[in-house]
Amino acid sequence: MSLRRCDYLSREQLQRMHQLGKERNAQRILSDLEEYISYFEEGRKKIYYLNAAGRELVQATKIRKKTPQVNHYLMRNDLFISLGRPVSWENEVKITLNNISLIADASYTSNKLHHFVEIDYKQTMTKNSQKIQNYKKLSTINPQFKLVWVTTTPFRKKKIEKLCEGLKVKVYLWEELR
């Protein structure tokens, strides 16, 4: 079910989500599930996803294969795990209000406040800036949300924080979430 919700997960993420203990125990459990999951290697990590039998078992409709955007998914999943796996979490949420339309990488509600998640793995700052401008327009209509970013370097974190001035925002470094 975790792979249905998160699309791709590393062994380390699965260990944290399901308290699988040490690496050896986690590997044993993943081996027991090999009928339902496939993996590919990204760097030195194995990245797991549901195969056809796994999708059928958990009634998942999305077909996942090896993708160059896997780090984007892993960053989003690390945030999801570190936030305690919010029940209201949804991936790829379309936001449309008046003439403003954008797609957040995820959204969730915490303390009755909407949180929109943006993942900055290798996005250009120009695209990030455009997205932030859309969120600023959205905040003039309805300011009751918080923007949550995950990025890769302290430089990018500072740049995003500066671009987000005037918005409720929290920016994490990916390494802080792992």
Side-chain angles (χ1 to χ4, degrees), residues 3 30-31 33-39 48-51 54:
L3 284 167
L30 289 167
S31 176
L33 294 172
E34 69 184 11
E35 178 182 346
Y36 304 106
I37 59 177
S38 295
Y39 71 89
Y48 297 90
Y49 60 94
L50 293 171
N51 61 23

Side-chain angles (χ1 to χ4, degrees), residues 93-133:
V93 176
K94 185 169 184 169
I95 305 158
T96 307
L97 191 59
N98 293 351
N99 61 346
I100 303 162
S101 181
L102 50 92
I103 298 174
D105 291 318
S107 92
Y108 66 97
T109 304
S110 176
N111 297 323
K112 299 182 183 178
L113 184 65
H114 287 290
H115 292 67
F116 298 117
V117 174
E118 291 296 335
I119 303 299
D120 171 44
Y121 179 61
K122 287 193 175 176
Q123 190 72 269
T124 66
M125 271 302 162
T126 304
K127 286 198 175 193
N128 287 340
S129 181
Q130 290 169 343
K131 206 154 204 188
I132 291 166
Q133 289 308 314

Side-chain angles (χ1 to χ4, degrees), residues 16-50:
R16 288 194 336 240
M17 287 177 85
H18 300 291
Q19 294 83 38
L20 299 182
K22 301 279 185 201
E23 181 179 348
R24 186 173 175 179
N25 186 54
Q27 287 301 123
R28 181 188 58 76
I29 291 168
L30 289 167
S31 176
D32 291 346
L33 294 172
E34 69 184 11
E35 178 182 346
Y36 304 106
I37 59 177
S38 295
Y39 71 89
F40 60 90
E41 293 191 23
E42 176 68 26
R44 299 181 71 193
K45 286 184 182 180
K46 288 183 179 178
I47 308 301
Y48 297 90
Y49 60 94
L50 293 171

Side-chain angles (χ1 to χ4, degrees), residues 55-85:
R55 287 191 307 273
E56 185 179 324
L57 179 71
V58 298
Q59 300 170 348
T61 56
K62 287 189 251 175
I63 297 172
R64 295 295 181 197
K65 298 287 180 194
K66 183 175 181 176
T67 176
Q69 291 89 16
V70 72
N71 284 314
H72 176 90
Y73 290 93
L74 296 177
M75 287 172 76
R76 183 176 64 194
N77 294 341
D78 278 330
L79 178 65
F80 173 68
I81 295 165
S82 71
L83 293 173
R85 300 174 13 206

